[in-house]
Amino acid sequence: MKHDVIIIGGGLGGLQCGYILCKKGYDVCVIEKGKKVGGCLQTFRRGKNVFDTGFHYVGGLDEGQPLRRLMDYFGLSTLPWYRLDANGYDEVIINDKSFLLASGHGRFVETLSSHFPEQRGELEEYASFLKNVGDNIFHVFGNKEHREEDFFKSLFSRSAYAYLKETIKDPLLINILSGNSLKLELHPDRLPLYIFAQTNETYTESAWRLKGGGSLIAESLSDAIQKMGGTVMTNREVTMLKNCKEKINSVLLDNDEEGEAKIFISAIHPASTIDLLQNKELVRSSFRNRISRLENTYGIFTAHLELKENRLPYLNRNIHIHERDNVWSYHHYPDNGQKRYVFVSFAVPENGSPYATHIDLLSPMHWEELREWEHTTVGKRGQGYLDLKAKRADECIDIASRHIPRLRESIETVYTSTPLTWRDYTGTVEGSAFGIRKNYNELPYTILTPKTPVPNLFLTGQNLSVHGVLGVSMTSFFTCAEILGADTVLKLFR
């Protein structure tokens, strides 16, 4: 087979690159080794219910907001998005004290100021900073020199935790502002300010669930690519990147079929990409060593709860429950028995019922906890692994039940997943929830560009700069800008 572009990996980044390039007339082939596309957008069905894996809610989807502009481009704005309560899209509970985070910068400040009247000025400064980040998100597609100086260096090279401590004097308020952040890894010695700010800004603008699950995004992109003449393959694994002199000229599929192209994009982990090279000497040993030594963020344990009918009212917000004082400490392993963080996400009832049909309980989980089973496969991990999952699920249910009346008695069935599950079903290295761990102290080392030392091999996806739906969507345009030219991509955002 021959194509203009071959894309390895059918997650969000790979599909979006395929969509952009198809739209520009390229003959594109997206190759996904799993049974279906989507990566962490995948869903699974149990009975009548569709459960999400890595996708639960997004921010900034209202008219004129950053993610809406991107969703409009990809034809995804018409999906059945469901807006969360603007008066409190997230509830943060710290040691049994509850605080609502509201959408809209003014409402956000007013809601928290009712608890912290003396910190109103600090909250206004914080909200203004977030808004400024949101207003300038697409300026990254502008002049390259301006982008490097003002975008990367000023915000990526600053500490998110240090900024909060400089801006907010009350430690409890810092924890509240950070307490809805299972959508990123809170690491006080690593996390760049830009990643924290962009993520929280979009949700402050508006927050949304997707009725039917994240796979609708992947399926829509896949269908669009094929309607534009592109190809999407599933159940096919790229086992080698073959080269001719200094360039890649083909991929080997399942060790027996070749696919030729002029351009190759890898949407899988950069370390996995290097492993595919037929000739490792195409990239310098210093680059290979750099990639192989990069740390990955922690993963997620999820208890997927199927509920009895008409028992538990649907809640149109998320709940983030912390039973420890410092929400910036979950990156530690071992945690020496410290209490956990549980993120409660209700699925939108597809039948319009006022009662919830299923709920996900998510909690940070480190790869080290699963090291004993890292060489096992699904369904063959043994009783010890099953016992670990059952214990963790019961802990999560116990924590959530203290804040959601009648939860435990409403549960019909419990399904569980760990970072091992993520690794086996999505190909995510170490089941990492947010990709490579970025470090504001080592910015050039941990922030990757789409370009590689191989002239016609490019990278995309959550491991490069910013994760999440918005971050990956923007990275897809960065990758395509290397192929189409920056001016072509810039026109899409004018």
Side-chain angles (χ1 to χ4, degrees):
M1 67 178 189
K2 291 185 178 181
H3 301 276
D4 295 330
V5 183
I6 287 178
I7 299 174
I8 306 164
L12 179 61
L15 291 170
Q16 287 180 325
C17 285
Y19 183 99
I20 295 167
L21 294 173
C22 272
K23 204 167 183 179
K24 288 297 179 182
Y26 285 75
D27 176 10
V28 172
C29 178
V30 179
I31 304 172
E32 167 57 44
K33 74 173 184 178
K35 293 181 180 179
K36 54 184 179 179
V37 295
C40 295
L41 294 175
Q42 288 184 47
T43 58
F44 64 94
R45 180 176 289 277
R46 293 293 182 271
K48 298 178 181 178
N49 298 316
V50 175
F51 288 90
D52 269 300
T53 53
F55 174 89
H56 288 86
Y57 69 137
V58 297
L61 199 57
D62 212 353
E63 191 71 39
Q65 293 175 354
L67 187 59
R68 176 60 178 271
R69 293 176 65 181
L70 291 164
M71 294 296 100
D72 284 346
Y73 176 84
F74 289 112
L76 300 171
S77 298
T78 56
L79 294 177
W81 298 103
Y82 196 90
R83 186 168 191 155
L84 296 179
D85 189 350
N87 292 317
Y89 67 92
D90 273 340
E91 179 182 3
V92 176
I93 299 174
I94 298 179
N95 288 328
D96 294 330
K97 294 181 180 179
S98 174
F99 306 89
L100 291 177
L101 302 182
S103 293
H105 298 87
R107 189 185 293 113
F108 177 87
V109 171
E110 287 297 327
T111 301
L112 286 177
S113 292
S114 66
H115 297 281
F116 299 90
E118 295 183 1
Q119 278 71 47
R120 173 181 283 273
E122 296 172 2
L123 284 165
E124 289 174 343
E125 180 180 348
Y126 173 77
S128 177
F129 169 71
L130 291 187
K131 186 176 186 305
N132 185 53
V133 169
D135 289 344
N136 288 281
I137 279 178
F138 292 115
H139 289 181
V140 68
F141 292 108
N143 176 269
K144 181 178 180 181
E145 181 179 348
H146 174 83
R147 179 172 79 229
E148 291 177 347
E149 289 296 319
D150 293 343
F151 182 73
F152 283 105
K153 291 185 179 179
S154 67
L155 295 181
F156 263 107
S157 61
R158 290 179 64 188
S159 160
Y161 188 61
Y163 166 80
L164 287 171
K165 291 185 70 175
E166 292 164 3
T167 307
I168 309 294
K169 304 308 177 188
D170 190 316
L172 175 58
L173 184 52
I174 290 176
N175 279 281
I176 293 165
L177 296 175
S178 312
N180 64 337
S181 294
L182 197 58
K183 47 190 176 287
L184 51 84
E185 182 186 69
L186 295 177
H187 197 307
D189 302 321
R190 300 285 190 275
L191 183 62
L193 176 56
Y194 183 80
I195 293 177
F196 179 89
Q198 178 185 286
T199 301
N200 284 286
E201 158 59 12
T202 57
Y203 291 91
T204 303
E205 292 179 333
S206 61
W208 307 73
R209 289 178 179 148
L210 181 57
K211 185 186 293 187
S215 61
L216 296 179
I217 296 173
E219 290 164 2
S220 177
L221 290 168
S222 177
D223 290 346
I225 289 170
Q226 294 175 83
K227 287 178 182 177
M228 289 187 284
T231 303
V232 178
M233 295 182 175
T234 56
N235 266 328
R236 301 299 305 274
E237 183 177 4
V238 173
T239 51
M240 183 182 291
L241 288 167
K242 303 186 72 172
N243 66 288
C244 179
K245 296 183 179 180
E246 78 281 2
K247 290 186 177 182
I248 306 298
N249 67 315
S250 65
V251 299
L252 188 63
L253 287 172
D254 302 319
N255 293 316
D256 64 5
E257 180 184 354
E258 283 198 36
E260 297 180 16
K262 300 173 184 176
I263 297 168
F264 299 83
I265 298 174
S266 175
I268 63 176
H269 195 286
S272 300
T273 304
I274 299 302
D275 287 342
L276 290 175
L277 292 174
Q278 178 187 34
N279 179 8
K280 302 294 191 294
E281 301 305 317
L282 277 179
V283 296
R284 297 184 305 275
S285 60
S286 58
F287 182 82
R288 296 198 304 272
N289 292 335
R290 171 195 173 193
I291 297 300
S292 66
R293 292 172 183 170
L294 289 171
E295 300 174 347
N296 295 298
T297 51
Y298 58 58
I300 301 294
F301 172 84
T302 308
H304 308 274
L305 310 183
E306 187 175 38
L307 302 177
K308 298 173 184 176
E309 288 188 11
N310 303 327
R311 291 291 188 93
L312 197 68
Y314 167 75
L315 188 64
N316 199 34
R317 66 173 180 273
N318 305 298
I319 308 175
H320 302 261
I321 306 169
H322 302 269
E323 296 197 333
R324 63 172 74 174
D325 295 323
N326 182 11
V327 307
W328 284 79
S329 62
Y330 296 105
H331 66 284
H332 286 301
Y333 182 82
D335 61 8
N336 297 320
Q338 290 195 59
K339 294 180 180 178
R340 304 196 185 281
Y341 165 18
V342 174
F343 163 36
V344 184
S345 176
F346 284 68
V348 180
E350 293 192 46
N351 58 6
S353 169
Y355 291 95
T357 54
H358 54 297
I359 294 174
D360 284 341
L361 307 181
L362 299 90
S363 185
M365 192 174 207
H366 293 264
W367 187 250
E368 288 79 3
E369 299 177 61
L370 303 163
R371 195 68 79 175
E372 179 180 347
W373 301 282
E374 68 177 323
H375 299 299
T376 62
T377 56
V378 174
K380 299 178 181 179
R381 308 200 202 278
Q383 190 60 44
Y385 177 71
L386 297 177
D387 292 342
L388 173 69
K389 292 201 298 176
K391 179 182 177 183
R392 180 62 69 89
D394 196 61
E395 289 175 351
C396 290
I397 293 169
D398 186 53
I399 291 170
S401 294
R402 291 199 280 273
H403 303 279
I404 304 175
R406 302 187 303 278
L407 173 60
R408 189 177 284 275
E409 66 191 60
S410 301
I411 298 171
E412 181 73 44
T413 312
V414 179
Y415 308 99
T416 55
S417 61
T418 73
L420 277 170
T421 318
W422 280 42
R423 181 200 66 179
D424 290 349
Y425 280 100
T426 71
T428 307
V429 173
E430 295 184 349
S432 170
F434 318 109
I436 290 170
R437 179 177 288 147
K438 312 307 185 295
N439 187 343
Y440 70 89
N441 289 305
E442 299 178 335
L443 193 62
Y445 185 78
T446 58
I447 298 291
L448 304 178
T449 66
K451 296 177 70 174
T452 74
V454 183
N456 66 334
L457 174 63
F458 302 91
L459 303 175
T460 200
Q462 70 170 0
N463 291 291
L464 270 62
S465 53
V466 184
H467 62 273
V469 174
L470 176 60
V472 171
S473 298
M474 294 183 66
T475 300
S476 299
F477 280 100
F478 295 150
T479 300
C480 292
E482 299 293 343
I483 299 166
L484 301 172
D487 289 343
T488 299
V489 171
L490 179 59
K491 291 176 183 178
L492 301 174
F493 297 95
R494 285 178 175 165

